[in-house]
């Protein structure tokens, strides 16, 4: 039996709460690979927020494609990896983008504390919202196969 996820399964898994690992091409060296918070709704775009002045932000401005991998580290293991073009970069708004993402990962109270400490609760002119259109997917759900992990 195949461990491959169906389109619906992989989109549902990607929409779940995971810390993603983002990879960005770098000239003359290996890709920059870093953990990130992200947002995704099935059928939509992957969204990541970073500072435009950060290494990630500078590489995104230079590049055309990014990859994101998310996983469940508990047996039986699952992962989804998605790659695609950056379709848009815009200024991240604290209330529309940053606070909802912080709530997703830290809950309402923790997210609000995070936003207050990170931005002082006001506009952050250096934060950008990156939109990636998923084109290529890799996935595995090892619960579909008896591999002795469960």
């Amino acid at each position: 039996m195949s461990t491959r996820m169906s389109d619906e399964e992989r989109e549902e898994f990607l929409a779940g709460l995971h810390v993603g690992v983002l990879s960005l091409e770098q000239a003359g060296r290996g890709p920059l690979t870093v953990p990130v918070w992200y947002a995704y709704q099935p059928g939509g775009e992957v969204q990541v927020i970073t500072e435009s002045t950060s290494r990630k932000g500078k590489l995104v401005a230079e590049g055309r494609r990014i990859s994101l991998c998310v996983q469940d580290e508990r047996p039986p293991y699952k992962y989804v990896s998605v790659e695609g073009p950056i379709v848009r970069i815009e200024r991240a708004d604290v209330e529309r983008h940053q606070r909802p993402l912080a709530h997703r990962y830290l809950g309402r109270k923790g997210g609000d504390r995070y936003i207050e400490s990170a931005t002082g609760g006001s506009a952050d002119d250096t934060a950008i919202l990156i939109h990636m259109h998923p084109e290529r997917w890799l996935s595995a759900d090892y619960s579909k196969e008896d591999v002795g992990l469960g």
Side-chain angles (χ1 to χ4, degrees):
M1 179 177 234
S2 172
T3 61
R4 188 175 178 270
M5 291 182 189
S6 69
D7 292 355
E8 184 179 295
E9 289 170 329
R10 70 186 187 194
E11 288 197 43
E12 183 179 315
F13 186 80
L14 184 61
L17 184 60
H18 307 280
V19 172
V21 178
L22 183 71
S23 291
L24 300 151
E25 184 178 1
Q26 293 186 98
R29 59 194 298 181
L32 174 65
T33 304
V34 293
V36 294
W37 291 350
Y38 71 95
Y40 175 75
Q41 294 295 321
E45 298 170 343
V46 173
Q47 298 178 345
V48 176
I49 296 174
T50 194
E51 296 294 319
S52 62
T53 56
S54 71
R55 193 161 157 202
K56 281 185 298 211
K58 291 174 183 174
L59 289 171
V60 163
E62 296 171 6
R64 301 197 189 286
R65 300 183 78 78
I66 58 176
S67 296
L68 181 78
C69 183
V70 300
Q71 65 183 6
D72 185 342
E73 300 165 349
R74 298 164 297 178
Y77 308 109
K78 295 179 185 180
Y79 78 88
V80 167
S81 180
V82 64
E83 178 241 326
I86 298 167
V87 294
R88 188 167 74 253
I89 299 172
E90 64 183 290
R91 186 174 156 264
D93 180 78
V94 172
E95 296 306 320
R96 285 187 348 184
H97 306 118
Q98 293 173 284
R99 191 175 304 274
L101 194 61
H103 287 172
R104 170 175 159 84
Y105 282 90
L106 301 174
R108 184 163 292 285
K109 282 179 140 178
D112 287 343
R113 281 194 302 267
Y114 173 81
I115 290 298
E116 295 307 315
S117 70
T119 68
S122 61
D124 180 356
D125 291 335
T126 63
I128 56 174
L129 178 65
I130 303 151
H131 298 261
M132 181 260 276
H133 174 72
E135 278 187 351
R136 294 194 176 106
W137 297 76
L138 294 172
S139 64
D141 177 352
Y142 291 102
S143 71
K144 293 183 173 192
E145 191 173 85
D146 183 15
V147 292
L149 296 175

